[in-house]
């Protein structure tokens, strides 16, 4: 019955008139510059009018999932994935944001946001021509991006863009432009685990978003396009160029005076140091789980999609970490190797048989370096592996006083018939 109903509604639409009007409007967009914005709005309305009967049901934004939580083997909470997530308690009201912060986001992502009906045909055409010229330029509106973030992020189907359009039509009818923009600035990813303008302001500038200058707003808004690549800590030149482009767009739209533009353009990009927060009870393990989860195809078809799903999917991830083992590891390291000039310590404890990770510790300086020595260093075990060798020898009933020729090409009785060589053929001439 539902299929027949849809077919009937499709047949009842005035397709011939829609086609004629659409062609006229597209020609006007191409050849009559003063009418482009008006015609673009009209075309967008036509597209959403046609799509609206097929728009799927959308869950209310307040009912959508949020931060993903990690649980230890005993059910206790290890920590939340990401730095702040998108909890509603941390959401920033749009009216609390300076005008230049809002306009910077629009200048970077969707300058016609308040003039289109959720789809910007002109932006799509520009994106298509840019692609043909070998350059990347997004054609999705903020409403379409919200549809992707909240409803289609995990999909890898050929028709995902079409579904985004359907969801966008529903969102445009259900929410005001201000409500959509507020949701966007509180949910979009800015890099370094910061989802939303509030966490991003604290992460990169150490201030609340209401204190952002026009230059700082340009930096953050410019990062949305490529949040990991446009890292102001490592790619200052690229980030500066992108910020300047955002500022130029703001001035062209009349959102920045010439004087304010010059001040923002001259302002240096000064960042706050990386967060010293540990990232939960076991930060090394939390970071490890994040890296592993981002490789799962079940979370999406790209690294960007998987990351978004992981951080905002509201999952509860059950892990094998044993808090008592981890706490004992940390206490042991702090008691023996806690001085500033002590070597970095890495400890990985796994369960024999299935290899389940019981504890993972990658150094006391993780909050500063964000580098997990236990899972990222790739260093060899070295002499720390000797106790395991001796234990295996004792189990094989080999006398601990036994000695073996240490030159290369030796055959060790407990190792089988395969000869053992020293690293790079080195020969120290001693005994083992």
């Amino acid at each position: 019955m539902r299929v027949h109903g849809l077919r009937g509604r499709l047949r009842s639409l005035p397709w011939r008139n829609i086609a004629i009007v659409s062609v006229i409007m597209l020609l006007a967009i191409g050849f009559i510059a003063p009418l482009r914005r008006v015609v673009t709005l009209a075309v967008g309305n036509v597209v959403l009018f046609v799509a609206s009967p097929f728009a799927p049901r959308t869950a209310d934004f307040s009912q959508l999932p949020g931060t993903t939580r990690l649980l230890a083997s005993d059910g206790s909470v290890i920590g939340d994935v990401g730095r702040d997530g998108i909890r509603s308690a941390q959401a920033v009201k749009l009216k609390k944001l300076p005008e230049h912060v809002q306009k910077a986001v629009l200048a970077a992502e969707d300058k016609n946001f308040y003039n289109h009906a959720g789809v910007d045909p002109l932006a799509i055409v520009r994106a298509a021509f840019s692609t043909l010229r070998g350059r990347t330029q997004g054609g999705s509106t903020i409403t379409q991006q919200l549809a992707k973030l909240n409803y289609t992020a995990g999909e890898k189907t050929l028709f995902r863009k079409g579904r985004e359009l359907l969801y966008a039509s529903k969102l445009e009818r259900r929410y005001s432009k201000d409500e959509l923009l507020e949701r966007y600035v509180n949910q979009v990813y800015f890099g370094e685990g910061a989802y939303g303008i509030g966490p991003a302001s604290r992460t990169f500038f150490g201030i609340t978003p209401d204190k952002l200058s026009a230059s700082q707003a340009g930096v953050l808004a410019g990062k949305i396009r490529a949040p990991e690549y446009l890292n102001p800590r490592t790619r200052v030149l690229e980030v500066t160029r992108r910020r300047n482009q955002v500022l130029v767009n703001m001035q062209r739209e009349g959102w920045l005076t010439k004087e304010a533009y010059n001040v923002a353009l001259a302002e240096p990009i000064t960042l706050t140091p990386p967060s010293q927060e540990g990232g939960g009870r076991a930060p090394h393990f939390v970071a490890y789980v994040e890296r592993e989860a981002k490789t799962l195809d079940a979370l999406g078809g790209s690294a960007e999609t998987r990351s978004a799903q992981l951080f905002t999917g509201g999952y509860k991830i059950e892990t094998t970490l044993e808090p008592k083992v981890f706490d004992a590891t940390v206490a042991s390291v702090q008691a023996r190797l806690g001085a500033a000039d002590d070597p970095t310590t890495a400890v990985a404890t796994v369960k024999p048989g299935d290899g389940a990770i019981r504890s993972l510790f990658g150094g006391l300086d993780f909050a500063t370096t964000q580098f997990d020595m236990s899972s990222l260093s790739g260093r060899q075990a070295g002499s720390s592996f000797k106790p395991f060798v001796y234990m295996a020898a004792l189990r094989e009933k080999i006398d601990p006083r036994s000695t073996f020729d240490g030159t290369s090409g030796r055959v060790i009785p407990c190792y089988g018939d395969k000869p053992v060589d020293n690293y790079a053929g080195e020969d120290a001439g001693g005994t083992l």
Side-chain angles (χ1 to χ4, degrees), residues 26-335:
L26 287 173
L27 290 173
I29 290 176
F31 298 102
I32 309 175
L35 295 179
R36 282 177 183 169
R37 179 164 291 188
V38 175
V39 174
T40 295
L41 175 60
V43 172
N45 278 319
V46 169
V47 172
L48 292 187
F49 171 77
V50 174
S52 59
F54 315 102
R57 297 180 61 182
T58 56
D60 190 89
F61 280 148
S62 63
Q63 299 172 349
L64 291 171
T67 305
T68 292
R69 177 155 291 182
L70 302 187
L71 304 179
S73 60
D74 61 359
S76 62
V77 176
I78 301 173
D80 293 335
V81 174
R83 185 160 278 125
D84 286 285
I86 56 167
R87 295 190 184 94
S88 58
Q90 298 174 335
V92 179
K93 293 295 183 182
L94 191 65
K95 62 183 180 181
K96 297 290 186 181
L97 288 177
E99 187 75 11
H100 59 255
V101 175
Q102 302 177 40
K103 297 303 186 183
V105 173
L106 297 180
E109 291 299 306
D110 188 358
K111 66 180 182 180
N112 293 322
F113 176 67
Y114 280 92
N115 296 311
H116 61 61
V119 179
D120 189 344
L122 197 58
I124 295 174
V125 172
R126 284 198 303 265
F129 278 111
S130 294
T131 301
L132 291 175
R133 291 198 298 264
R135 294 186 298 177
T136 301
Q137 179 178 333
S140 296
T141 64
I142 283 177
T143 312
Q144 287 175 277
Q145 291 183 53
L146 279 173
K148 177 182 178 181
L149 287 170
N150 292 285
Y151 305 108
T152 68
E155 296 183 8
K156 296 182 288 184
T157 66
L158 182 64
F159 302 103
R160 179 177 62 81
K161 278 294 182 183
R163 284 176 55 78
E164 279 180 22
L165 177 63
L166 297 178
Y167 276 113
S169 70
K170 190 62 172 285
L171 291 176
E172 285 282 339
R173 286 189 297 162
R174 184 170 186 176
Y175 298 99
S176 69
K177 287 289 189 179
D178 284 351
E179 288 175 321
L180 292 174
L181 182 59
E182 180 175 286
R183 174 69 182 192
Y184 183 75
V185 298
N186 280 291
Q187 184 177 9
V188 72
Y189 186 48
F190 290 90
E192 290 194 18
Y195 281 81
I197 192 69
S201 301
R202 294 189 293 274
T203 297
F204 293 101
F205 299 111
I207 57 177
T208 53
D210 59 299
K211 302 291 195 303
L212 288 170
S213 68
S215 172
Q216 292 169 330
V219 170
L220 294 182
K223 282 175 56 59
I224 296 174
R225 176 181 295 180
E228 297 296 355
Y229 175 78
L230 292 172
N231 185 344
R233 304 190 196 281
T234 58
R235 290 191 172 92
V236 180
L237 182 60
E238 291 87 345
V239 171
T240 301
R241 286 174 178 169
R242 177 61 178 152
R243 179 205 64 176
N244 295 349
Q245 182 182 14
V246 173
L247 295 175
V248 167
N249 290 345
M250 292 176 70
Q251 191 199 22
R252 286 176 178 171
E253 294 298 318
W255 297 333
L256 270 186
T257 64
K258 182 66 175 178
E259 181 181 359
Y261 167 75
N262 289 332
V263 170
L265 204 63
E267 183 178 318
I269 299 176
T270 305
L271 306 172
T272 190
S275 173
Q276 301 298 307
E277 298 176 2
R281 184 176 186 178
H284 318 87
F285 186 72
V286 172
Y288 176 77
V289 171
E290 290 179 7
R291 292 196 303 273
E292 289 297 303
K294 290 177 184 178
T295 67
L296 301 177
D297 289 339
L299 292 177
S302 67
E304 177 187 0
T305 298
R306 289 191 287 268
S307 179
Q309 279 292 95
L310 173 65
F311 279 77
T312 64
Y315 302 109
K316 286 187 177 179
I317 302 178
E318 298 178 355
T319 73
T320 58
L321 185 85
E322 297 182 18
K324 291 182 179 179
V325 178
F326 177 78
D327 291 343
T329 301
V330 176
S332 178
V333 172
Q334 289 176 332

Side-chain angles (χ1 to χ4, degrees), residues 351-408:
K351 184 178 180 180
D354 60 7
I357 298 176
R358 302 175 65 203
S359 177
L360 197 69
F361 178 82
L364 294 171
D365 60 349
F366 180 76
T368 302
T369 65
Q370 294 293 302
F371 185 82
D372 176 18
M373 192 65 68
S374 62
S375 62
L376 294 175
S377 67
R379 295 183 180 178
Q380 296 182 357
S383 294
S384 65
F385 202 76
K386 289 180 179 178
F388 302 104
V389 175
Y390 286 128
M391 180 64 71
L394 290 174
R395 286 178 175 174
E396 293 295 325
K397 297 182 172 50
I398 296 176
D399 191 325
R401 295 166 295 184
S402 302
T403 60
F404 299 92
D405 188 338
T407 57
S408 291

